[in-house]
Amino acid sequence: MNDRIVTAKIPEEVYKEFALRIPEGERGSFIREAISEKLQKTPKPDKLLAIEERINRLESELEQVRKYLSDLELLTFEQGTVDLHSLCTDETDRKIIDYLSHYKGATTPELAEYLKSNRWIVLNRLQKIQKASKKKHGKSVIEYYGGERSGKKKAWWINQDTTNKEVE
C-alpha cells in the first residue's frame, strides 16, 4: 500500500482536545480511521450524478409514454381518474380549480377578484396548472379560449375533451 502524507491545519482548541484524548503513538491511526469513517458516509459525486441523470432520463421517457398514450386515447381523463387538485401546489391553486369547476369557466380578472389578487399572478398560476397537467397527463385539463363561450370572452375553462364528463 502506498501511503501519502497529508498536512492539515486545525484550530488550537481542537488540537488541545485531540492531544488530551489521543495518546501520542496512536494519533496517526486515529486520524486515518476518522478520515475513512467520514469518507464512508460521504456519497461519491460520480454516483450521485449518474443517479440524477438516470432519474431525469426516466422522467423524460415517462412523459413521452404518457404523451403517446394520450395521443392514442388510451389514457383517459374521466372524472374520478384525474384529480384536478393533484395539479395544485397550494391553496391558491385549489381555489382557482374550485372556481373553474363550479362556474365552468372564468376570465383572469374574475379569478383575480375572487382571490383578491393581481391578475398577472392568477395568469401565471393558470399557466403553471396547464403546463403541469400537460406534463403529467399528456393533455391540458384547463384551456384558454379567446373567443366567446357561454357568455364569456377570453376565459379559462375545464377542458371537457379531456374530462369527458361534467366536473363537479
Short mmCIF file of all heavy atoms in Angstrom, two decimals, residues 130-166:
data_model
loop_
_atom_site.label_atom_id
_atom_site.label_comp_id
_atom_site.label_asym_id
_atom_site.label_seq_id
_atom_site.Cartn_x
_atom_site.Cartn_y
_atom_site.Cartn_z
N GLN A 130 -51.81 24.48 -16.23
CA GLN A 130 -51.96 23.97 -17.59
C GLN A 130 -50.72 23.16 -17.99
O GLN A 130 -50.83 22.05 -18.51
CB GLN A 130 -52.17 25.14 -18.55
CG GLN A 130 -52.45 24.73 -19.98
CD GLN A 130 -52.66 25.94 -20.88
OE1 GLN A 130 -51.99 26.96 -20.73
NE2 GLN A 130 -53.59 25.83 -21.80
N LYS A 131 -49.54 23.71 -17.72
CA LYS A 131 -48.28 23.04 -18.07
C LYS A 131 -48.11 21.73 -17.27
O LYS A 131 -47.72 20.71 -17.81
CB LYS A 131 -47.11 23.98 -17.80
CG LYS A 131 -45.77 23.44 -18.22
CD LYS A 131 -44.68 24.46 -17.96
CE LYS A 131 -43.33 23.90 -18.32
NZ LYS A 131 -42.24 24.85 -18.03
N ALA A 132 -48.44 21.78 -15.97
CA ALA A 132 -48.32 20.59 -15.12
C ALA A 132 -49.24 19.48 -15.60
O ALA A 132 -48.86 18.31 -15.63
CB ALA A 132 -48.61 20.94 -13.67
N SER A 133 -50.48 19.85 -15.98
CA SER A 133 -51.42 18.82 -16.44
C SER A 133 -50.97 18.23 -17.77
O SER A 133 -51.12 17.04 -17.99
CB SER A 133 -52.84 19.40 -16.56
OG SER A 133 -52.93 20.34 -17.60
N LYS A 134 -50.41 19.07 -18.61
CA LYS A 134 -49.93 18.56 -19.90
C LYS A 134 -48.75 17.61 -19.69
O LYS A 134 -48.65 16.57 -20.33
CB LYS A 134 -49.52 19.73 -20.80
CG LYS A 134 -49.40 19.35 -22.24
CD LYS A 134 -49.30 20.60 -23.10
CE LYS A 134 -49.46 20.20 -24.55
NZ LYS A 134 -49.63 21.33 -25.42
N LYS A 135 -47.87 17.97 -18.76
CA LYS A 135 -46.71 17.12 -18.48
C LYS A 135 -47.13 15.82 -17.81
O LYS A 135 -46.65 14.75 -18.14
CB LYS A 135 -45.73 17.88 -17.58
CG LYS A 135 -44.46 17.12 -17.30
CD LYS A 135 -43.49 17.94 -16.50
CE LYS A 135 -42.20 17.16 -16.26
NZ LYS A 135 -41.22 17.93 -15.53
N LYS A 136 -48.08 15.92 -16.87
CA LYS A 136 -48.49 14.75 -16.09
C LYS A 136 -49.42 13.82 -16.87
O LYS A 136 -49.33 12.61 -16.75
CB LYS A 136 -49.17 15.22 -14.80
CG LYS A 136 -49.49 14.11 -13.84
CD LYS A 136 -49.98 14.67 -12.52
CE LYS A 136 -50.24 13.57 -11.53
NZ LYS A 136 -50.72 14.09 -10.25
N HIS A 137 -50.33 14.40 -17.66
CA HIS A 137 -51.35 13.59 -18.32
C HIS A 137 -51.29 13.60 -19.84
O HIS A 137 -52.09 12.94 -20.49
CB HIS A 137 -52.74 14.06 -17.88
CG HIS A 137 -52.95 13.97 -16.40
ND1 HIS A 137 -53.00 12.78 -15.72
CD2 HIS A 137 -53.11 14.93 -15.46
CE1 HIS A 137 -53.20 13.01 -14.44
NE2 HIS A 137 -53.25 14.31 -14.26
N GLY A 138 -50.38 14.38 -20.41
CA GLY A 138 -50.27 14.42 -21.86
C GLY A 138 -51.21 15.40 -22.53
O GLY A 138 -51.02 15.76 -23.66
N LYS A 139 -52.24 15.83 -21.82
CA LYS A 139 -53.19 16.82 -22.33
C LYS A 139 -53.49 17.79 -21.21
O LYS A 139 -53.45 17.45 -20.04
CB LYS A 139 -54.51 16.16 -22.76
CG LYS A 139 -54.40 15.35 -24.03
CD LYS A 139 -55.77 14.86 -24.45
CE LYS A 139 -55.68 14.04 -25.72
NZ LYS A 139 -56.99 13.54 -26.12
N SER A 140 -53.82 19.01 -21.60
CA SER A 140 -54.14 20.03 -20.62
C SER A 140 -55.57 19.86 -20.12
O SER A 140 -56.48 19.69 -20.92
CB SER A 140 -53.96 21.41 -21.24
OG SER A 140 -54.24 22.40 -20.31
N VAL A 141 -55.78 19.90 -18.82
CA VAL A 141 -57.13 19.77 -18.27
C VAL A 141 -57.83 21.12 -18.12
O VAL A 141 -59.02 21.17 -17.89
CB VAL A 141 -57.16 19.01 -16.93
CG1 VAL A 141 -56.71 17.57 -17.12
CG2 VAL A 141 -56.34 19.70 -15.88
N ILE A 142 -57.07 22.21 -18.27
CA ILE A 142 -57.70 23.53 -18.37
C ILE A 142 -57.20 24.16 -19.66
O ILE A 142 -56.09 23.88 -20.11
CB ILE A 142 -57.41 24.45 -17.16
CG1 ILE A 142 -55.93 24.77 -17.04
CG2 ILE A 142 -57.97 23.88 -15.88
CD1 ILE A 142 -55.64 25.86 -16.02
N GLU A 143 -58.05 25.00 -20.26
CA GLU A 143 -57.65 25.61 -21.52
C GLU A 143 -58.14 27.05 -21.58
O GLU A 143 -59.14 27.40 -20.95
CB GLU A 143 -58.21 24.82 -22.70
CG GLU A 143 -59.71 24.80 -22.76
CD GLU A 143 -60.26 23.98 -23.93
OE1 GLU A 143 -59.47 23.36 -24.65
OE2 GLU A 143 -61.48 23.99 -24.09
N TYR A 144 -57.43 27.85 -22.34
CA TYR A 144 -57.81 29.23 -22.56
C TYR A 144 -58.49 29.30 -23.92
O TYR A 144 -58.01 28.74 -24.89
CB TYR A 144 -56.57 30.13 -22.54
CG TYR A 144 -56.87 31.57 -22.91
CD1 TYR A 144 -57.44 32.42 -21.97
CD2 TYR A 144 -56.60 32.05 -24.18
CE1 TYR A 144 -57.73 33.73 -22.29
CE2 TYR A 144 -56.90 33.36 -24.51
CZ TYR A 144 -57.46 34.20 -23.57
OH TYR A 144 -57.76 35.49 -23.89
N TYR A 145 -59.63 29.99 -23.96
CA TYR A 145 -60.32 30.18 -25.23
C TYR A 145 -60.56 31.67 -25.41
O TYR A 145 -61.21 32.30 -24.57
CB TYR A 145 -61.64 29.41 -25.25
CG TYR A 145 -62.40 29.55 -26.55
CD1 TYR A 145 -61.90 29.02 -27.73
CD2 TYR A 145 -63.61 30.22 -26.59
CE1 TYR A 145 -62.58 29.16 -28.92
CE2 TYR A 145 -64.30 30.35 -27.78
CZ TYR A 145 -63.78 29.82 -28.95
OH TYR A 145 -64.45 29.97 -30.13
N GLY A 146 -59.99 32.24 -26.47
CA GLY A 146 -60.05 33.68 -26.70
C GLY A 146 -61.38 34.18 -27.21
O GLY A 146 -61.71 35.36 -27.06
N GLY A 147 -62.19 33.32 -27.81
CA GLY A 147 -63.49 33.74 -28.34
C GLY A 147 -64.55 33.76 -27.25
O GLY A 147 -64.26 33.65 -26.06
N GLU A 148 -65.80 33.89 -27.69
CA GLU A 148 -66.91 33.90 -26.73
C GLU A 148 -67.45 32.50 -26.55
O GLU A 148 -67.64 31.76 -27.51
CB GLU A 148 -68.02 34.84 -27.20
CG GLU A 148 -69.10 35.00 -26.16
CD GLU A 148 -70.09 36.11 -26.51
OE1 GLU A 148 -69.74 37.01 -27.28
OE2 GLU A 148 -71.21 36.03 -25.98
N ARG A 149 -67.69 32.17 -25.31
CA ARG A 149 -68.22 30.85 -24.97
C ARG A 149 -69.01 31.01 -23.68
O ARG A 149 -68.50 31.57 -22.71
CB ARG A 149 -67.05 29.88 -24.78
CG ARG A 149 -67.41 28.45 -24.55
CD ARG A 149 -66.19 27.60 -24.82
NE ARG A 149 -66.06 26.54 -23.84
CZ ARG A 149 -65.01 25.76 -23.73
NH1 ARG A 149 -63.98 25.94 -24.52
NH2 ARG A 149 -64.99 24.80 -22.85
N SER A 150 -70.24 30.56 -23.67
CA SER A 150 -71.13 30.66 -22.50
C SER A 150 -71.18 32.08 -21.95
O SER A 150 -71.20 32.29 -20.74
CB SER A 150 -70.68 29.69 -21.40
OG SER A 150 -70.72 28.37 -21.85
N GLY A 151 -71.18 33.04 -22.84
CA GLY A 151 -71.30 34.44 -22.43
C GLY A 151 -70.02 35.07 -21.91
O GLY A 151 -70.02 36.20 -21.45
N LYS A 152 -68.90 34.36 -22.00
CA LYS A 152 -67.63 34.91 -21.52
C LYS A 152 -66.65 34.97 -22.69
O LYS A 152 -66.60 34.07 -23.52
CB LYS A 152 -67.02 34.03 -20.43
CG LYS A 152 -67.84 33.98 -19.15
CD LYS A 152 -67.13 33.10 -18.13
CE LYS A 152 -67.99 32.83 -16.93
NZ LYS A 152 -68.02 33.91 -15.99
N LYS A 153 -65.90 36.05 -22.74
CA LYS A 153 -64.85 36.20 -23.75
C LYS A 153 -63.50 36.09 -23.08
O LYS A 153 -63.33 36.54 -21.95
CB LYS A 153 -64.95 37.58 -24.43
CG LYS A 153 -66.14 37.73 -25.33
CD LYS A 153 -66.09 39.08 -26.00
CE LYS A 153 -67.30 39.27 -26.89
NZ LYS A 153 -67.32 40.59 -27.52
N LYS A 154 -62.57 35.48 -23.79
CA LYS A 154 -61.19 35.35 -23.29
C LYS A 154 -61.17 34.75 -21.89
O LYS A 154 -60.73 35.37 -20.94
CB LYS A 154 -60.47 36.69 -23.31
CG LYS A 154 -60.35 37.29 -24.69
CD LYS A 154 -59.63 38.61 -24.65
CE LYS A 154 -59.50 39.17 -26.05
NZ LYS A 154 -58.81 40.46 -26.06
N ALA A 155 -61.63 33.53 -21.77
CA ALA A 155 -61.76 32.89 -20.46
C ALA A 155 -61.04 31.54 -20.42
O ALA A 155 -60.67 30.98 -21.45
CB ALA A 155 -63.24 32.70 -20.13
N TRP A 156 -60.86 31.04 -19.21
CA TRP A 156 -60.27 29.74 -18.95
C TRP A 156 -61.39 28.76 -18.64
O TRP A 156 -62.34 29.09 -17.95
CB TRP A 156 -59.30 29.82 -17.77
CG TRP A 156 -58.06 30.57 -18.10
CD1 TRP A 156 -57.88 31.92 -18.04
CD2 TRP A 156 -56.83 30.03 -18.56
NE1 TRP A 156 -56.62 32.25 -18.43
CE2 TRP A 156 -55.94 31.10 -18.75
CE3 TRP A 156 -56.39 28.74 -18.82
CZ2 TRP A 156 -54.64 30.92 -19.18
CZ3 TRP A 156 -55.10 28.55 -19.25
CH2 TRP A 156 -54.24 29.64 -19.44
N TRP A 157 -61.24 27.53 -19.13
CA TRP A 157 -62.28 26.52 -18.99
C TRP A 157 -61.67 25.19 -18.59
O TRP A 157 -60.54 24.88 -18.95
CB TRP A 157 -63.02 26.33 -20.33
CG TRP A 157 -63.57 27.60 -20.86
CD1 TRP A 157 -62.94 28.48 -21.70
CD2 TRP A 157 -64.84 28.17 -20.58
NE1 TRP A 157 -63.74 29.55 -21.95
CE2 TRP A 157 -64.92 29.39 -21.28
CE3 TRP A 157 -65.92 27.78 -19.79
CZ2 TRP A 157 -66.04 30.21 -21.22
CZ3 TRP A 157 -67.02 28.59 -19.74
CH2 TRP A 157 -67.08 29.79 -20.44
N ILE A 158 -62.46 24.38 -17.89
CA ILE A 158 -62.09 22.99 -17.68
C ILE A 158 -62.27 22.32 -19.03
O ILE A 158 -63.31 22.44 -19.66
CB ILE A 158 -62.98 22.30 -16.62
CG1 ILE A 158 -62.89 23.02 -15.26
CG2 ILE A 158 -62.64 20.82 -16.50
CD1 ILE A 158 -61.56 22.88 -14.56
N ASN A 159 -61.25 21.64 -19.51
CA ASN A 159 -61.26 21.05 -20.84
C ASN A 159 -62.17 19.82 -20.86
O ASN A 159 -61.82 18.76 -20.35
CB ASN A 159 -59.84 20.68 -21.26
CG ASN A 159 -59.73 20.28 -22.71
OD1 ASN A 159 -60.74 20.02 -23.36
ND2 ASN A 159 -58.51 20.26 -23.21
N GLN A 160 -63.35 19.96 -21.45
CA GLN A 160 -64.33 18.87 -21.49
C GLN A 160 -63.85 17.72 -22.38
O GLN A 160 -64.28 16.59 -22.19
CB GLN A 160 -65.68 19.39 -21.97
CG GLN A 160 -66.32 20.40 -21.03
CD GLN A 160 -66.53 19.86 -19.63
OE1 GLN A 160 -66.95 18.73 -19.44
NE2 GLN A 160 -66.23 20.66 -18.63
N ASP A 161 -62.98 18.00 -23.32
CA ASP A 161 -62.43 16.91 -24.18
C ASP A 161 -61.61 15.94 -23.38
O ASP A 161 -61.56 14.75 -23.68
CB ASP A 161 -61.56 17.49 -25.29
CG ASP A 161 -62.34 18.32 -26.28
OD1 ASP A 161 -63.59 18.16 -26.34
OD2 ASP A 161 -61.73 19.13 -26.99
N THR A 162 -60.96 16.43 -22.33
CA THR A 162 -60.11 15.54 -21.54
C THR A 162 -60.81 14.99 -20.32
O THR A 162 -60.41 13.97 -19.78
CB THR A 162 -58.82 16.27 -21.08
OG1 THR A 162 -59.19 17.42 -20.34
CG2 THR A 162 -57.97 16.65 -22.27
N THR A 163 -61.88 15.67 -19.88
CA THR A 163 -62.59 15.16 -18.71
C THR A 163 -63.74 14.27 -19.10
O THR A 163 -64.19 13.45 -18.31
CB THR A 163 -63.10 16.31 -17.81
OG1 THR A 163 -63.92 17.17 -18.59
CG2 THR A 163 -61.95 17.08 -17.20
N ASN A 164 -64.29 14.43 -20.31
CA ASN A 164 -65.38 13.63 -20.86
C ASN A 164 -66.68 13.74 -20.08
O ASN A 164 -67.69 13.22 -20.49
CB ASN A 164 -65.01 12.14 -20.95
CG ASN A 164 -63.91 11.91 -21.96
OD1 ASN A 164 -63.81 12.62 -22.96
ND2 ASN A 164 -63.10 10.91 -21.71
N LYS A 165 -66.65 14.34 -18.90
CA LYS A 165 -67.85 14.48 -18.08
C LYS A 165 -67.84 15.84 -17.44
O LYS A 165 -66.80 16.47 -17.33
CB LYS A 165 -67.90 13.40 -16.96
CG LYS A 165 -68.09 12.00 -17.47
CD LYS A 165 -68.19 11.07 -16.30
CE LYS A 165 -68.38 9.63 -16.78
NZ LYS A 165 -68.47 8.70 -15.70
N GLU A 166 -68.97 16.25 -16.96
CA GLU A 166 -69.04 17.49 -16.20
C GLU A 166 -68.23 17.33 -14.93
O GLU A 166 -68.26 16.31 -14.28
CB GLU A 166 -70.50 17.82 -15.83
CG GLU A 166 -71.35 18.18 -17.02
CD GLU A 166 -71.06 19.57 -17.57
OE1 GLU A 166 -70.87 20.49 -16.75
OE2 GLU A 166 -70.99 19.73 -18.79
#
